[in-house]
Structures are given as C-alpha cells and as structure tokens.
Amino acid sequence: MNIEDFNKTPEAVTTTNYPTPRSIRVYALGGAGINNGAALAKLFDVEMEKSHSSFYAKPDICFIDGSRQNLSKVPDNRINDVFVMRRMDETVDRIKYPEGIELSGGGGDRAYINKVAIDNTPLIMNKFKPSKVLNVLIFSAAGASGATQGQHLFKELVKQGYPVIVVLISVNASASRVMNTNKTLVSLINYQRSAKVAAGLFEVNNAGLSVAAEAATDEKISMFLLQLLAVYSNTASRLDEKDCLNWLDYYRVTKTEPELLRVDAVNAVSIGEVVGELTSVIGIVRPTTEVSPAVENVLNNALYVKLGVVEHPEAPISECYLVAHPIDLTMVQAIDSHLDESNAQIAAHATGRERFNNALSRWNNGSDEDGGMI
C-alpha cells in the first residue's frame, strides 16, 4: 500500500456525527522538513477531498528555515505559516531592525546557527502555538538550520511539558553528516532526560544523496504521518484525548521512568514483525476486527494498550497501531560506533593534511645538489 491509496474519494461519505478532528501542530524545519511539510499540506489542501480529511487529525503546519531558499515549495495558501530565522545579536541595529535581520543560510555552520536558534525559539512558539494534543517536528539530523533550530524547539517543548514526536531524517552519506546525525540523537536524548518527560522519535534513514533515495525516505515519512493522524483523528470511539496522551505518557499510569521512545506505525501484518520491548500501543480497529495471535502477542507484551473503534465503513485507515519502544542497547552502540568512526575519518583527514603541510614545508626549505630549490 502506498500514499495514493489514502487519497481515493469514498462514496457518499458523511461524517457529520463525528466530533471535530483534533489539531496537531507540525513544525517543518530546514530543507528536508519543508519538503515533507509541503507534501503533507498539498495532500490535505489539494489532493484529498474535504469529506475524506475528516478521518484524520488536522495538521497545523508551519515552515521554518534559515533562509528563503527552500520556501518556494511552500503552497501559496500557506505563506503566512512561514518563519525565516533571524539574527538579533548585538551587531544588529534593533531600532532599524526591531525584529532582527533574516538569515541568508547557515552554510552548515551549527556553531553560528546555535545562538540564532536559541533567540528564535520563543518567537517561533509564540507565532505558532504548540498543541496540547501532539507536536511533530520534522527535520534532517545532518544539516545546520533545521537540525539546530529543531533541537532547541524540542528542548523547549519538552521542558514545558508538551507532547512531542520528532520525525528525524538521518543521513550516512559522509563522515560529517554521520557525525551531525549522531550528535543530534545524543542532544535529543539529553534534552528529554533533563526535562524528565517522555517524547517520541521516528527515525528514517536517507541512504544517500540521490533523488531516488530522498523520494523513498519521504514516502516512509508520509505513510507514518498519515497513520499517526488517523489514530489521533477523534473519529474512533473508546480512544479519547487522554488515551492518546498516555501513548507517550505511559509512565504516568505505569509508574515507570519517562524515556525518549522510538515510535512507529504498523498494520495488522507488520505488527507481527515488531521485536523487542514495547512500552505502549494505541491504535484503531473495526468493530468486527479479530485480533490475530501475532497482534495479540505483541499487545500482551506492552505496558500500556488502548485501541479505538472505527465504525464508519468508508474510513481509509481502519486498522493501525502506533507502537513505542525504549531506545535499546543496539541503538546506543550504533551511535557510539558511528561517532568513533566519524571521528577517526576526520582525524585521519586532518593527519593527512598535516603530513602534507609538513612535507611541503620541508620541500620549500630544501635545495637540490645544484643549490636550486627542490
């Protein structure tokens, strides 16, 4: 099944008896985040029939970047949902530029962007109010503007107790990108632990720099977001807002420690492939759904489970499970290994340059047998 399957218009759909769909704030940050946020906006604004969209939570999408370079992809009707990061340091004439000066890009320099991101975080949260139901941040872990602003926004959201899921695009196309990706993961873990509240992480890897690899990554993100919005839609009975909050806040009802959780959306087939410890599961099923032994086995191993019932026969997604795992030792070891490998590659490059410079110095100071320069 792919994303087109969810765009088909159901025949004679009426959803007038359903409650108003819940609203979820989506922060699309940096080039990768804006690509995916724009695709989601296009799906809901243009491609999907209004009657069909009633089966999903409403995505309130905003677009944030360190320049206007990527904003051409934002739909025209969403242009007021844009925020360009701006400098507000002591070098800016605040009388002439009371709102600061827009950036023209980060150039991959996270140190430069970091101070800007700290200053911009309260402005972003004031312009685009967080949702009490769920906030989704989409950004690449390997870049500068999106990743840095995304981390600081995540830090402040969890600090204030808002429910958050990060859709993180990791990249392994170069040593520096691998380094940035894993430093981003470490930062998210540290911010969550400091805030002492749970949060979600949906990580998808972009295996390279090709258009095909990027398209495959974007498809995975779109599918996850659609299933997430379907479960949070408010059209399923027996799954209220508190139940949805408990998916990440399971620790409040199970008296365990809050964690940064790896989250995913699975169906009746793929849930049987879920391995490892599960903390919580929420989902939607039909009234006639018979839970298979594979599904039952997975659900029985979770600390918290709550399933809603979708009764409308034309609902595009009628069986879906949102699952949450604690970050396991395998992921920790992978981060550790990737950081070691990246550091070794960067160190080897630096050593090579040092040897070249030393050799060049010797050559320039040397002479051949005839007294000429070598």
Side-chain angles (χ1 to χ4, degrees):
M1 183 176 287
N2 54 43
I3 194 169
E4 284 77 15
D5 295 320
F6 300 112
N7 300 341
K8 298 173 182 176
T9 307
E11 296 294 331
V13 172
T14 56
T15 56
T16 54
N17 294 328
Y18 284 100
T20 303
R22 299 185 181 104
S23 292
I24 290 177
R25 170 62 73 189
V26 178
Y27 296 94
L29 301 114
I34 287 174
N35 285 346
N36 284 279
L40 186 64
K42 182 181 178 183
L43 176 62
F44 275 81
D45 295 346
V46 179
E47 298 173 358
M48 186 183 293
E49 294 292 330
K50 294 300 182 184
S51 58
H52 209 175
S53 64
S54 301
F55 292 109
Y56 300 95
K58 177 189 174 186
D60 289 330
I61 311 166
C62 58
F63 306 87
I64 302 157
D65 205 359
S67 74
R68 294 187 173 271
Q69 184 71 29
N70 299 303
L71 298 183
S72 60
K73 297 179 180 178
V74 176
D76 291 342
N77 64 315
R78 300 269 185 165
I79 202 63
N80 291 329
D81 300 324
V82 165
F83 183 93
V84 180
M85 298 166 65
R86 56 195 66 153
R87 289 194 301 110
M88 296 180 290
D89 56 63
E90 62 279 358
T91 65
V92 176
D93 185 343
R94 297 303 294 277
I95 296 177
K96 186 176 181 180
Y97 304 102
E99 296 184 351
I101 299 176
E102 286 188 1
L103 297 184
S104 56
D109 187 346
R110 286 191 170 190
Y112 167 68
I113 292 294
N114 190 62
K115 177 63 167 62
V116 177
I118 293 172
D119 291 339
N120 279 238
T121 296
L123 301 179
I124 293 169
M125 292 179 64
N126 184 58
K127 182 173 182 179
F128 305 115
K129 305 295 185 186
S131 166
K132 294 181 180 180
V133 178
L134 185 65
N135 299 275
V136 178
L137 280 64
I138 312 173
F139 59 89
S140 167
S145 299
T148 307
Q149 186 62 74
Q151 290 175 61
H152 283 289
L153 192 53
F154 173 83
K155 178 183 180 181
E156 193 58 34
L157 285 168
V158 294
K159 181 180 177 182
Q160 295 187 27
Y162 286 104
V164 184
I165 289 176
V166 175
V167 174
L168 190 69
I169 303 163
S170 59
V171 183
N172 56 8
S174 68
S176 62
R177 287 173 176 259
V178 170
M179 174 73 79
N180 282 347
T181 290
N182 287 279
K183 283 185 175 180
T184 297
L185 285 167
V186 171
S187 294
L188 295 176
I189 293 170
N190 285 333
Y191 291 149
Q192 176 274 320
R193 290 174 65 88
S194 177
K196 294 182 173 60
V197 297
L201 172 68
F202 177 74
E203 183 189 7
V204 57
N205 182 257
N206 183 351
L209 299 175
S210 70
V211 173
E214 182 178 309
T217 299
D218 292 348
E219 176 75 9
K220 291 177 182 177
I221 293 172
S222 294
M223 290 297 298
F224 170 74
L225 291 174
L226 272 178
Q227 293 174 91
L228 177 75
L229 293 171
V231 174
Y232 271 77
S233 65
N234 204 27
T235 57
S237 61
R238 305 183 190 178
L239 189 69
D240 60 28
E241 186 173 307
K242 185 62 177 177
D243 296 325
C244 292
L245 290 171
N246 283 341
W247 179 44
L248 296 179
D249 287 352
Y250 68 93
Y251 64 96
R252 299 188 189 278
V253 292
T254 59
K255 306 303 180 184
T256 53
E257 290 295 317
E259 300 177 76
L260 181 63
L261 303 163
R262 302 198 71 169
V263 300
D264 202 354
V266 295
N267 56 32
V269 176
S270 56
I271 194 171
E273 302 169 3
V274 172
V275 296
E277 181 184 355
L278 274 181
T279 56
S280 54
V281 181
I282 60 173
I284 51 177
V285 295
R286 289 282 190 199
T288 55
T289 298
E290 293 186 11
V291 178
S292 68
V295 173
E296 187 175 342
N297 182 59
V298 172
L299 298 182
N300 286 341
N301 288 322
L303 295 177
Y304 175 84
V305 178
K306 191 63 186 292
L307 303 181
V309 178
V310 177
E311 298 180 2
H312 199 293
E314 301 293 348
I317 301 179
S318 58
E319 185 173 4
C320 175
Y321 307 90
L322 300 179
V323 298
H325 307 254
I327 290 179
D328 57 17
L329 182 60
T330 302
M331 183 175 180
V332 174
Q333 289 173 334
I335 293 173
D336 202 34
S337 175
H338 289 152
L339 287 173
D340 285 345
E341 290 172 4
S342 299
N343 279 322
Q345 285 181 277
I346 293 169
H349 177 77
T351 301
R353 294 300 304 171
E354 184 179 0
R355 288 176 178 173
F356 174 79
N357 290 335
N358 289 340
L360 187 62
S361 178
R362 291 197 306 273
W363 298 339
N364 288 335
N365 291 328
S367 61
D368 58 23
E369 293 177 354
D370 298 326
M373 293 297 294
I374 295 178

